[in-house]
């Protein structure tokens, strides 16, 4: 949700600001802008659309100046036009903002009544207008900043330039993340450490309520009341994660093919492959003393959590409440003090997931986080962190983070079963052996199914609606398949529990409707086949994703059958994720969409 960067440099900054924005583009990409100060005057370039448009503009009209701020936007208030693009300027003040100023309309009305005129539809402009007004009232920049922060409410990461302070950036955080980076005679500011990775690995994260003044010599950090505070400096590992697409056309494709490797890393952390047991020192939550689990996340991470729910209930006999975080946080759930809460998030910054976490923390629950970005807010605010070790995921549609989340949740559920005495050591050994086989099987599947998925994708790209069905852990997978397809190909898709078919969705089925049935030969297979019969009887076109046993057992005629190796139930969701990811990917490629940066989306959703 918008990326911000700032540099107080010892040489021109515009090019480096845009370079840093490129690493933040996953946060939003509907417009972008840069502002610098030169000879006591603010100057800016802004452009609608992808960062490339801003680069083209800067090429034609370069921007000088050794200090600057920049922004890549995911629109919340106001259309994604150049006028609404940040930085916003008012009378010698420039502002970039990530988040939402919730009381903006009240402030705007008040400023308009006092004679101000607004040039954008954004909530952010009130920040620039307020600061300009306080300056006109005679306040020094620092006082103006503090007074403004006491006036606005909502979520923000802010960076501010004052035209008459050519050596200073002011910044503030309430919600969305903000990192200060230390250079040699230069200082940096960014929405995350990856943005700053080429410049520095020495980072301080502001915490909620902090604001800061950066100049070339360093940073002074203040709390909400203006008291000087110290925050720890840490060495970021983000530089190790500088990424490119390698030989792949898209980050998404690269990330799909990385799965065997990154899952090996994750398993190495959670599993003792000599003893075939879960590493108890990686567990960090005493599952034996917990009576239930509250599980919450958004989007794909939530769907990973739903699969996890089946596992925790089955292997650890632990009741699980799983909710999308945007509902969880407002549901007034009566939570038992003996419950633990588990939050799943690739970015570790998702606003609704973070709010749910804070709710559970206030209720006194033990908090665990299954995260990819270990330096994220969700990781920092949790009692126990379970890293998924997927490495940076740049494609907006989550793939490797999903299967790494699943792998970690599987290990945790087995570990919880061991701690609670609900599975025997023999069963633990058996399950762990299957987990250990997973990377090898994934590589084999990825090496064989691609041509089939590509030709199937050609057919799917001609359709306007697709239905995905599954039972057991294949039900959340059906929803994940539908989510993946719709977000990158823009084809309408729904994922249903196969048993729900006759309670409504069956009305949709005709000869134009492809129905993708995810059915490994597990305990539910026969029942899913009956549901397939219902589809076939109504002329629906079935794409059957099954395993060798399933293919041999089913006598139904299908439009296409994708046959995967026979695998144990514990790893089936990870293995069956591969065809649904590839199908969505190739369909989007045929449709000609922007696979890595699909319309209207952003990788990190730091607003409600
Ligand atoms: C879909 C997707 C999203 C995210 C969701 C949560 O492919 O990536 O649905 O899963 O926005 O994001 P995180 O995991 O960062 O909390």
């Amino acid at each position: 949700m918008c990326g911000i960067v700032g540099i107080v440099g010892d040489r021109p900054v515009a090019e480096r600001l845009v370079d840093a924005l490129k690493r933040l583009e996953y946060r939003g990409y509907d417009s972008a802008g840069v502002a610098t100060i030169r000879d006591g005057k603010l100057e800016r370039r802004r452009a609608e659309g992808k960062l490339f448009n801003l680069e083209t503009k800067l090429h034609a009209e370069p921007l000088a100046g050794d200090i600057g701020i920049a922004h890549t936007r995911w629109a919340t208030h106001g259309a994604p036009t150049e006028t609404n693009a940040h930085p916003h300027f008012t009378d010698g003040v420039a502002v970039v903002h990530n988040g939402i100023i919730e009381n903006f309309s009240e402030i705007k009305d008040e400023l308009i009544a006092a004679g101000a005129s607004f040039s954008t539809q954004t909530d952010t402009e009130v920040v620039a207008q307020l600061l300009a007004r306080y300056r006109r009232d005679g306040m020094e920049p620092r006082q103006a900043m503090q007074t403004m922060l006491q006036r606005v409410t909502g979520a923000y990461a802010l960076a501010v330039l004052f035209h008459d302070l050519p050596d200073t950036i002011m910044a503030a955080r309430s919600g969305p993340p903000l990192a200060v980076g230390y250079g040699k005679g230069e200082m940096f500011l960014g929405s995350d450490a990856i943005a700053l990775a080429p410049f520095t690995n020495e980072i301080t994260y502001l915490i909620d309520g902090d604001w800061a003044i950066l100049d070339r010599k360093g940073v002074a950090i203040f709390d909400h009341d203006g008291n000087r505070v110290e925050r720890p400096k840490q060495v970021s590992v983000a530089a190790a994660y500088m990424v490119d697409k390698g030989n792949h056309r898209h980050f998404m494709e690269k990330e799909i093919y990385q799965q065997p490797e990154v899952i090996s890393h994750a398993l190495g952390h959670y599993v003792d492959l000599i003893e075939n047991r879960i590493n108890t020192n990686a567990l960090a939550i005493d599952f034996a003393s917990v009576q239930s689990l509250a599980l919450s996340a958004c989007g794909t991470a939530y769907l990973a959590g739903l699969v996890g729910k089946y596992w925790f209930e089955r292997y650890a006999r632990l009741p699980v409440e799983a909710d999308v975080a945007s509902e969880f946080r407002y549901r007034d759930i009566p939570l038992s003090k003996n419950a633990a809460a588990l939050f799943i998030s690739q970015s570790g910054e998702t606003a609704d997931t973070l709010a749910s976490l804070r709710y559970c923390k206030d209720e006194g629950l033990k908090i665990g986080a299954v995260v990819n970005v270990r330096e994220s807010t969700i990781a920092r605010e949790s009692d126990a962190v379970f890293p998924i070790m997927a490495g940076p995921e740049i494609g907006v549609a989550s793939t490797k983070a999903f299967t790494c989340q699943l792998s970690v949740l599987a290990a945790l559920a087995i570990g919880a079963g061991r701690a609670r005495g609900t599975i025997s050591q023999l069963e633990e050994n058996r399950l762990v052996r299957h987990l250990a086989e997973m990377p090898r099987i994934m590589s084999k599947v990825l090496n064989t199914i691609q041509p089939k998925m590509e030709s199937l994708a050609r057919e799917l790209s001609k359709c306007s609606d697709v239905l995905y069905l599954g039972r057991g852990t294949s039900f959340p997978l059906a929803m994940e398949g539908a989510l993946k397809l719709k977000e990158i190909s823009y084809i309408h898709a729904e994922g249903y529990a196969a048993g729900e078919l006759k309670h409504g969705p069956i009305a949709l089925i005709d000869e134009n409707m492809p129905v993708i049935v995810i059915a490994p030969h597990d305990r539910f297979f026969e029942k899913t086949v009956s549901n397939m019969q219902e589809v076939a009887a109504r002329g629906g076109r079935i794409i059957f994703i099954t395993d060798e046993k399933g293919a041999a057992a089913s006598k139904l005629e299908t439009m296409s059958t994708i046959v995967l190796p026979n695998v144990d139930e514990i790893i089936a969701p990870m293995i069956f994720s591969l065809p649904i990811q590839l199908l969505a990917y190739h369909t989007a490629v045929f449709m000609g969409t922007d696979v890595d940066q699909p319309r209207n989306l952003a990788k990190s959703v730091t607003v409600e």
Side-chain angles (χ1 to χ4, degrees), residues 298-301 345-347 350 396-398 483-484 487 605:
C298 299
T300 287
S345 176
Q346 187 285 127
S347 63
T350 300
V396 163
S398 187
L483 175 59
K484 217 85 302 170
E487 72 179 319
V605 185

Side-chain angles (χ1 to χ4, degrees), residues 159-201:
V160 176
L161 290 178
F162 294 94
H163 75 109
D164 51 347
L165 282 189
D167 303 310
T168 305
I169 295 177
M170 295 205 189
R173 174 188 181 181
S174 173
L178 204 50
V180 172
Y182 302 79
K184 290 197 178 70
E186 299 190 296
M187 288 295 289
F188 307 96
L189 186 72
S191 292
D192 67 26
I194 290 186
L196 305 184
F199 313 140
T200 179
N201 65 353

Side-chain angles (χ1 to χ4, degrees), residues 1 252 297-303 344-354 370-373 378 388 393 395-399 401-402 405 480 483-484 487-488 598 601-605:
M1 295 295 88
M252 182 178 177
C298 299
T300 287
Y302 164 69
L303 297 172
I344 308 164
S345 176
Q346 187 285 127
S347 63
E349 302 294 349
T350 300
D352 284 319
T353 311
L354 181 58
V370 177
V371 288
N372 196 25
V373 182
I378 288 177
I388 63 164
E393 191 179 60
V396 163
S398 187
T399 51
F402 178 64
Q405 285 160 350
E480 171 61 6
L483 175 59
K484 217 85 302 170
E487 72 179 319
I488 58 170
L601 289 171
K603 185 78 183 156
S604 174
V605 185

Side-chain angles (χ1 to χ4, degrees), residues 101-108 126 151-154:
I101 305 295
E102 281 169 3
N103 59 347
F104 86 97
S105 90
E106 167 201 323
I107 298 175
K108 189 168 176 175
V126 298
R151 184 74 178 83
V152 298
T153 58

Side-chain angles (χ1 to χ4, degrees), residues 441-461:
I441 299 173
M442 281 187 139
S443 293
K444 188 171 150 198
V445 170
L446 284 169
N447 287 335
T448 48
I449 60 170
Q450 197 258 349
K452 183 142 192 179
M453 302 323 292
E454 211 172 335
S455 71
L456 204 52
R458 190 183 295 276
E459 292 305 308
L460 224 54
S461 66

